[in-house]
Amino acid sequence: MSSPVALPRGARRALGRADLATYRWVRGGLHHAEVTPRVAAFSRLGEHAALWLGIGAVGAAVDRGRRPRWLRGLSLVAGAYVANTAVKNVIGRQRPAFEEFPHLVKTPTQLSFPSAHATSSFCAAAAYRGLLPAGPLYAAATAMAVSRVVLGVHYPSDIVAGAALGTVVGTLGRQSP
């Protein structure tokens, strides 16, 4: 399958090597067995965008004055998750699989690009910005996204692409009439 990005072959190879080197560095250098259960528990909150959908639902239920904004954000997160699934199925990139770095969590599919955790997290950060403080939203989104590399189920480029997709959906969706 050819690359969907129109880059020269040498540039694609260099990016691929950097992606793999970063993956190996994170898995080999940042992984600590004593924190894995906490990272995995946090990451589970992002499965199927559950954390972000839950925040939107609670916000809509308790913040009646801004309910339309909460509901719009909630729908953007759901839409970003659906869009991510569609892109993931079209691209078909398989998750990292290295004997020395086994996956530390189970995943619903073997598809990797883009990361749904990163997509939904960055969409939520953009969509809920102004409803909640931006700093903690983006910190949580970043932690959620990076957790997927730490747990061995995504390459860094999966995270970058997911964060970009989520940011675009969350930002443009906020600006629509």
Side-chain angles (χ1 to χ4, degrees), residues 88 93-96 110-115 153-155 158:
K88 196 174 272 194
R93 182 183 196 184
Q94 297 296 300
R95 292 187 188 279
Q110 287 305 305
L111 298 177
S112 182
F113 185 92
S115 163
V153 295
H154 280 291
Y155 292 102
D158 300 338

Side-chain angles (χ1 to χ4, degrees), residues 6-121:
L7 292 174
R9 178 176 286 164
R12 286 195 314 262
R13 285 188 183 147
L15 286 172
R17 284 192 302 271
D19 200 26
L20 182 56
T22 304
Y23 173 86
R24 288 181 179 278
W25 177 75
V26 169
R27 289 288 285 128
L30 295 183
H31 174 256
H32 299 285
E34 62 276 4
V35 299
T36 297
R38 290 184 288 256
V39 173
F42 178 65
S43 187
R44 266 191 303 280
L45 296 173
E47 288 293 330
H48 308 291
L51 172 66
W52 309 110
L53 295 170
I55 288 171
V58 169
V62 301
D63 188 358
R64 294 178 186 198
R66 299 186 297 175
R67 180 173 286 152
R69 288 182 60 201
W70 281 108
L71 291 174
R72 182 172 194 85
L74 180 66
S75 68
L76 289 170
V77 171
Y81 180 76
V82 170
N84 175 278
T85 301
V87 172
K88 196 174 272 194
N89 282 311
V90 168
I91 301 295
R93 182 183 196 184
Q94 297 296 300
R95 292 187 188 279
F98 301 100
E99 192 172 307
E100 70 271 28
F101 298 122
H103 296 174
L104 301 175
V105 294
K106 294 199 181 292
T107 58
T109 74
Q110 287 305 305
L111 298 177
S112 182
F113 185 92
S115 163
H117 279 68
T119 299
S120 62
S121 297

Side-chain angles (χ1 to χ4, degrees), residues 125-126 128-141:
Y128 299 147
R129 189 181 65 236
L131 296 167
L132 294 171
L137 280 170
Y138 282 99

